[in-house]
Amino acid sequence: MKQKKLLAVASAGGHWVQLLRMRPAFEFLSLHWISTSPGVASQVDHEEFTSVRDANMWDKPGLVLMAIQIAWRVLLYRPDIVVTTGAAPGYFAIVFARLLGAKTIWIDSIANAEEMSLAGKKARRWATHWITQWPELSGDDGPTYIGSVL
Amino acid sequence: MIFVTVGTQLAFDRMVCAVDRWVNAKDTQIVAQVGPTEVRFSNIKYKSFLEQEQLDYILKNTELVVAHAGMGSILSSLSLGKPIIIMPRKASLGEHRNEHQMATAKRFQNRPGVYVAWDEQQLVVLLNRWSIERFDNVDEISNTAPTEFIANLKRLIGNTQ
């Protein structure tokens, strides 16, 4: 059977630190990483890595460039699954990969203990799995809780 | 050595200034990642952003981390067994977009090895306390998420052998 392709996406900083903690769940899969700082490639140095422009909701031109970079990577890589902890790059990855039929897993940052993040709320309709790390936030018409990275 | 970090996005001058004033009276070496700021600090070694390799080295060798209440800083410190003082950013002071760091600080305030400074005064009190006690009660965490979380995520991914 062909090895499944997983795209793991997070902006640098706390989102990235959380994504790295999930690494054991990605073993035996073909893996490609995306983050917003070329420097963090050293933390996954034996694997494929793409650095994209860093931007947030308040930097529209930066967001457009980031979206293009991610769309391009998604088209080239054609992931079967996307896993992301956010924020903006994860949102774009989930949108484009979903349009191509991939399974898309949004795991909201553990920093969001009281409500889902802004990017998380926007990602909801594109995510096949919409996950929180806080049991209090989960519910029948809310996100699913599967534990936390801590 | 104490490592001070504001994370990877925004400056947090209120916290760094408090440490800069405190160290004036001490001989502790301070290394800081201060983010994008125009403020000049006089008593500490600092950079806006440190390279990943530098960060790894400093974290490994520091005795204490002083940080904003960001998850990256908290997880990185605890997985290396380093005590951490966290000071939450306040959206009301324009330090972040919402008050999630206050929530994070509340959730972590009773965890061994995590100390919460709700303001600059408490930060100084905690730094003085650290100079005497050192904080060696850290509840060290592993480098990876708990087994149950990994198993659940594997199931979602469809990565089952």
Side-chain angles (χ1 to χ4, degrees):
Chain A
M1 202 180 86
K2 204 171 134 281
Q3 203 181 24
K4 280 193 204 161
K5 289 190 280 186
L6 187 140
L7 184 64
V9 186
S11 43
H15 296 106
W16 178 252
V17 172
Q18 291 175 64
L19 187 67
L20 288 181
R21 294 178 66 78
M22 300 173 192
R23 256 175 116 166
F26 308 154
E27 59 184 357
F28 311 124
L29 302 173
S30 161
L31 193 50
H32 192 102
W33 301 87
I34 294 182
S35 190
T36 53
S37 161
V40 302
S42 66
Q43 294 174 298
V44 291
D45 52 7
H46 53 288
E47 284 152 356
E48 293 177 45
F49 178 87
T50 301
S51 169
V52 297
R53 162 72 185 256
D54 194 11
N56 59 42
M57 300 293 173
W58 288 263
D59 170 18
K60 299 294 178 201
L63 278 182
V64 171
L65 179 56
M66 175 199 276
I68 293 169
Q69 289 175 308
I70 290 174
W72 181 243
R73 177 50 60 197
V74 168
L75 274 172
L76 284 181
Y77 187 59
R78 296 268 171 170
D80 299 297
I81 309 133
V82 175
V83 174
T84 181
T85 47
Y91 168 75
F92 290 126
I94 274 192
V95 171
F96 298 131
R98 186 79 200 112
L99 291 172
L100 295 177
K103 181 189 283 188
T104 50
I105 304 176
W106 179 277
I107 302 172
D108 216 46
S109 163
I110 195 172
N112 307 114
E114 293 182 335
E115 59 171 338
M116 293 292 272
S117 65
L118 190 57
K121 286 176 190 160
K122 289 183 188 289
R124 179 175 196 169
R125 60 179 289 233
W126 302 96
T128 55
H129 301 274
W130 198 50
I131 313 282
T132 176
Q133 298 191 53
W134 293 98
E136 299 89 324
L137 297 190
S138 68
D140 289 342
D141 39 83
T144 312
Y145 173 75
I146 62 163
S148 88
V149 296
L150 181 64
Chain B
M1 176 171 74
I2 298 177
F3 176 47
V4 179
T5 177
V6 303
T8 49
Q9 286 193 316
L10 309 161
F12 189 16
D13 297 332
R14 187 162 62 93
M15 181 182 81
V16 183
C17 286
V19 179
D20 193 44
R21 282 194 303 270
W22 174 80
V23 77
N24 199 15
K26 309 276 170 187
D27 57 0
T28 315
Q29 191 200 353
I30 312 262
V31 181
Q33 170 165 300
V34 300
T37 178
E38 298 300 315
V39 176
R40 298 283 166 259
F41 307 98
S42 33
N43 305 308
I44 60 176
K45 269 171 76 176
Y46 65 95
K47 262 185 153 178
S48 282
F49 296 104
L50 293 157
E51 297 295 327
Q52 190 62 44
E53 282 86 352
Q54 290 176 302
L55 271 175
D56 293 343
Y57 178 82
I58 292 167
L59 265 175
K60 224 166 83 188
N61 290 288
T62 194
E63 298 159 87
L64 173 72
V65 177
V66 175
H68 72 150
M71 284 314 307
S73 306
I74 297 172
L75 292 171
S76 302
S77 303
L78 294 182
S79 64
L80 287 166
K82 307 291 181 175
I84 181 170
I85 299 174
I86 51 175
M87 182 162 136
R89 294 174 183 271
K90 289 183 182 160
S92 56
L93 298 176
E95 292 165 347
H96 217 312
R97 294 181 280 273
N98 62 38
E99 298 292 3
H100 74 269
Q101 288 210 347
M102 298 294 280
T104 300
K106 276 183 208 139
R107 303 270 175 172
F108 279 89
Q109 63 182 339
N110 294 317
R111 204 181 168 91
V114 180
Y115 298 80
V116 176
W118 295 103
D119 57 33
E120 303 93 297
Q121 288 74 26
Q122 287 183 20
L123 178 56
V124 169
V125 169
L126 282 170
L127 285 166
N128 285 331
R129 227 182 101 190
W130 174 81
S131 320
I132 299 161
E133 293 174 26
R134 305 290 151 157
F135 300 143
D136 54 3
N137 58 335
V138 184
D139 189 0
E140 190 171 337
I141 60 170
S142 94
N143 274 325
T144 54
T147 328
E148 197 199 331
F149 178 89
I150 296 294
N152 287 336
L153 182 55
K154 272 186 145 177
R155 213 167 301 130
L156 287 189
I157 292 172
N159 183 14
T160 42
Q161 298 285 311

